[in-house]
Amino acid sequence: MPRLEARPEPSRAMMLASPLLAALAMLATGSLLFLFLGQEPLHAFYVYFIKPASTAYGVGELLLKATPLILCGVGLAIGFRADVHNIGADGQLTMGAIAAGCVALYFDGVEAPWVLPLMLVAGALGGMAWAAIPALLRTRFNTSEILVSLMLVYIAYLFLSYLVHGPLRDPAGYNFPQSKMFGESATLPLLVEGLRLNAALPLSLLCVLGAWFFCKHTFAGYRMRIGGMAPAAALYAGFSAPKNVWLAFLVSGALAGIAGVGEVAGPLGQLQPSVSPGYGFAAIIVAYVGRLHPVGVLLASLLMSLLYIGGESAQIELQLPSAITGLFQGLLLFYLLAADLFIHYRFKPRQRALTNPAEIPA
């Protein structure tokens, strides 16, 4: 049977081509999927990928959904570069939303310009506090940060559900599990009249710029990159692995928490049983499709956002199930991993063992 053999270091062009090949393979598989579902592929692709962004409102929704993906994806990419795998960004987003929501409700009726900045700080601290748990357990007890951060996501979900069903439920809300609507001073200003796009977008672009500068021009970014690429070399150079773990989790937790603020202080305007359709998990795909580079994450977030709004359009116009969005996301990740496998490795046939003495060369 053939065996896998590592290739020489792949070129930058090959690494950048990998996401494009994955996207093309996703589209090819999607055309077969639409055929099996009884849809004409060209019309289905138009409804899914073109029509949602063909109007100004559609472009606004595209950028609106891309914003939390950018924030979560940039934070995760910084950690992944250091080989620190934070899988719990959705939980950190939820805790950031809870912290910001508590601030908004505590200062309900206060019309002051400092309420919104205080919510952003509270959201970042909430996400950092939730991310600090797997960081502490990883550095102190060598637990798996993947399992711990993942399990904490569902604890955050249940905590939010408890709050909106109990202490934070709107007494005038007809017993619906939701908080009061936030005041005007606790909501993000809109960028364009008539669209839901808000000030979280320029904030996310600033985070992309800051992440690029951090990774490219700071010693901490260099230390994290070396720690991920060559752990033995990093240890020999005296770089602290626990410091990398803490920094990766705190940065990604803060950005995920700010993403949560953008949801509850933006399109939602209140706390609800669910504040995220899975942005934190989709951001994992975004980080890898973007090649763990801040600018690549920005572009990958736009693609993933298009998959979200395209799925909603396909549900309405083509009567397709909601799972179609997750299916396209899974296909994209599958083909990306497959492309990376063939970039880094090649199949080499095993040599047949010589058992006959006559076959042994003299």
Side-chain angles (χ1 to χ4, degrees):
M1 293 180 62
R3 61 186 175 88
L4 285 175
E5 182 182 74
R7 293 179 184 269
E9 187 66 24
S11 66
R12 187 173 183 83
M14 293 177 65
M15 294 299 295
L16 293 177
S18 178
L20 298 178
L21 294 174
L24 292 175
M26 176 195 70
L27 294 176
T29 307
S31 64
L32 296 177
L33 175 65
F34 287 136
L35 281 175
F36 289 141
L37 293 174
Q39 302 291 336
E40 200 278 317
L42 291 179
H43 176 66
F45 278 131
Y46 172 78
V47 172
Y48 203 106
F49 292 103
I50 298 177
K51 187 176 180 180
S54 61
T55 63
Y57 183 82
V59 172
E61 290 298 297
L62 177 72
L63 297 175
L64 178 70
K65 289 188 179 296
T67 300
L69 293 171
I70 294 170
L71 290 167
C72 292
V74 165
L76 294 182
I78 291 174
F80 292 164
R81 289 165 70 101
D83 201 26
V84 179
H85 297 94
N86 177 12
I87 310 299
D90 217 50
Q92 293 144 28
L93 182 153
T94 301
M95 295 304 293
I98 291 173
C102 289
V103 170
L105 295 173
Y106 183 81
F107 293 104
D108 183 40
V110 176
E111 297 297 330
W114 48 262
V115 174
L116 192 56
L118 184 61
M119 290 174 63
L120 289 170
V121 172
L125 291 177
M128 291 172 68
W130 208 241
I133 299 174
L136 175 64
L137 295 178
R138 162 72 187 273
T139 55
R140 187 69 182 271
F141 303 105
N142 199 31
T143 58
S144 169
E145 75 272 22
I146 295 176
L147 295 178
V148 175
S149 60
L150 178 61
M151 289 187 290
L152 285 172
V153 171
Y154 302 100
I155 297 176
Y157 289 167
L158 293 173
F159 184 52
L160 174 61
S161 178
Y162 160 74
L163 290 176
V164 296
H165 282 87
L168 299 184
R169 184 170 59 188
D170 183 6
Y174 302 99
N175 214 31
F176 285 104
Q178 59 191 26
S179 72
K180 292 178 63 176
M181 295 297 296
F182 298 164
E184 186 176 351
S185 63
T187 54
L188 291 164
L190 298 178
L191 296 181
V192 181
E193 188 66 31
L195 304 182
R196 298 198 300 165
L197 189 62
N198 56 56
L201 176 63
L203 180 61
S204 69
L205 297 179
L206 286 176
C207 290
V208 169
L209 183 61
W212 172 82
F213 183 84
F214 172 81
C215 295
K216 191 76 173 176
H217 297 288
T218 66
F219 177 73
Y222 171 77
R223 184 188 67 213
M224 295 181 73
R225 184 168 71 252
I226 297 301
M229 294 173 59
L235 183 63
Y236 181 78
F239 296 164
S240 172
K243 188 178 293 186
N244 284 348
V245 172
W246 274 103
L247 185 58
F249 268 103
L250 292 180
V251 169
S252 57
L255 292 178
I258 292 173
V261 180
E263 290 302 294
V264 296
L268 297 180
Q270 61 180 170
L271 288 175
Q272 298 178 0
S274 175
V275 296
S276 166
Y279 290 134
F281 293 115
I284 299 172
I285 305 176
V286 165
Y288 280 110
V289 171
R291 305 282 79 181
L292 306 184
H293 190 283
V295 177
V297 168
L298 171 62
L299 299 176
S301 298
L302 295 174
L303 173 60
M304 192 62 63
S305 175
L306 183 60
L307 292 180
Y308 272 114
I309 64 174
E312 296 171 357
S313 175
Q315 290 179 58
I316 297 171
E317 189 161 334
L318 302 178
Q319 304 300 310
L320 293 179
S322 60
I324 195 74
T325 300
L327 186 57
F328 272 104
Q329 292 177 359
L331 285 172
L332 181 61
L333 179 60
F334 172 78
Y335 285 122
L336 178 69
L337 296 177
D340 284 349
L341 175 67
F342 288 110
I343 286 175
H344 290 92
Y345 299 93
R346 60 186 172 189
F347 285 106
K348 186 175 182 180
R350 292 183 182 273
Q351 294 183 349
R352 185 171 62 89
L354 300 179
T355 57
N356 188 351
E359 297 178 355
I360 300 177

